[in-house]
Amino acid sequence: MNAESRRKIEMGVRALEFSRAHPDSEPGAAEAVARLEQLVMRAKETASVQRDGFIRVHAASARKNQLRAEMLDVHIAHLAEVGRAAARDEHELGKMFRFNPGASTFLAFGTAARSMAAAAQAHREVLLKYGLSQSVLDEFVRKLDELDAVVALGNEGRTNRMGATRELRAVPSEIVRTVRVMDGRNRQGFADDAQLLGSWISASRVLGKASRTGTDVVVPGSGQSAENEVKPAA
């Protein structure tokens, strides 16, 4: 979530808290508050999805790197040595167990590693004569399966994060528009109570973003100058 979206959501939370503390019996006003409540809840839920997506992508990336390092150091290295030993008598096996450790993507790595594991299983009886460890091969296959699962988890997290990020560009602008609708009624309702009017204006202010006057930007209402208007997010 970017800073502008976060400030707008925080403003929506303050405006909602104010409205709950000072309920308005007018049907239209009540509908606007209900709408704001839904938007704030939606923003919070979407922010949680975005955060979970970031966590999943980060965790998947770390585990993918760990799995690749483990397989290169142990399983692939073992099969390559067995392949070299077998190639002295079984020449066709020589090329099957050459692995390019420079494979830059996990897709390329997984494809090459899966091919090596399949070749080892197909020629297992021959390779056992040259020192193939069945337990190393079995673990290699398990780690390849885990790598596939981790890649899928990371892709899912990335998809969820991107969707939530798009949502978090739209919802804050809806929150601002809803508070704008509420602003006119509140300015009218609290016109004779300077303290409550000031509290509402403070609650509906988007903090941390300076206007040309050097003050925080305020959601415009009646009599509010254009230079203080909060522009909806693109």
Side-chain angles (χ1 to χ4, degrees):
M1 184 192 310
N2 61 35
E4 182 179 0
S5 293
R6 184 177 62 254
R7 288 193 296 264
K8 291 178 179 179
I9 293 169
E10 289 170 350
M11 181 274 291
V13 171
R14 293 193 305 273
L16 179 60
E17 290 173 348
F18 177 92
S19 299
R20 286 171 173 169
H22 304 90
D24 192 328
S25 60
E26 274 202 356
E31 287 294 329
V33 172
R35 168 68 173 163
L36 179 60
E37 185 172 18
Q38 292 173 354
L39 288 168
V40 167
M41 183 180 299
R42 180 175 155 196
K44 290 181 177 180
E45 291 173 350
T46 305
S48 179
V49 171
Q50 185 193 54
R51 182 176 182 276
D52 181 68
F54 274 115
I55 292 172
R56 288 192 181 197
V57 169
H58 178 75
S61 178
R63 184 56 179 156
K64 284 189 296 185
N65 287 327
Q66 183 181 20
L67 284 169
R68 177 161 61 179
E70 290 173 355
M71 285 188 279
L72 282 170
D73 291 343
V74 178
H75 311 87
I76 290 171
H78 173 68
L79 291 181
E81 291 299 331
V82 172
R84 276 192 286 269
R88 289 193 289 268
D89 299 319
E90 305 284 346
H91 301 294
E92 70 277 9
L93 295 179
K95 294 182 180 180
M96 291 183 184
F97 299 98
R98 291 177 185 173
F99 187 84
N100 177 16
S104 58
T105 67
F106 283 103
L107 177 61
F109 174 86
T111 300
R114 186 71 73 175
S115 176
M116 179 179 278
Q121 289 173 319
H123 299 278
R124 185 175 64 87
E125 296 302 325
V126 174
L127 295 176
L128 285 172
K129 300 175 184 178
Y130 296 92
L132 172 68
S133 168
Q134 185 64 52
S135 63
V136 170
L137 177 58
D138 291 343
E139 186 180 61
F140 186 30
V141 173
R142 287 195 298 272
K143 286 188 179 293
L144 283 170
D145 290 341
E146 183 182 356
L147 179 63
D148 289 343
V150 170
V151 169
L153 181 66
N155 289 340
E156 181 183 5
R158 187 173 294 105
T159 298
N160 291 344
R161 183 193 66 190
M162 291 173 65
T165 298
R166 287 193 294 270
E167 182 84 350
L168 286 171
R169 294 192 187 107
V171 175
S173 296
E174 289 296 321
I175 288 175
V176 169
R177 281 191 282 269
T178 301
V179 174
R180 283 177 172 167
V181 169
M182 298 165 61
D183 186 72
R185 167 58 181 164
N186 285 339
R187 286 177 182 271
Q188 178 202 48
F190 302 130
D192 296 327
D193 191 327
Q195 183 176 353
L196 284 180
L197 179 58
S199 295
W200 164 251
I201 291 174
S202 177
S204 60
R205 176 178 289 124
V206 179
L207 301 177
K209 183 176 180 181
S211 69
R212 280 173 281 179
T213 60
T215 60
D216 293 326
V217 177
V218 178
V219 174
S222 301
Q224 204 57 34
S225 64
E227 66 180 2
N228 284 334
E229 184 174 355
V230 179
K231 298 298 184 181

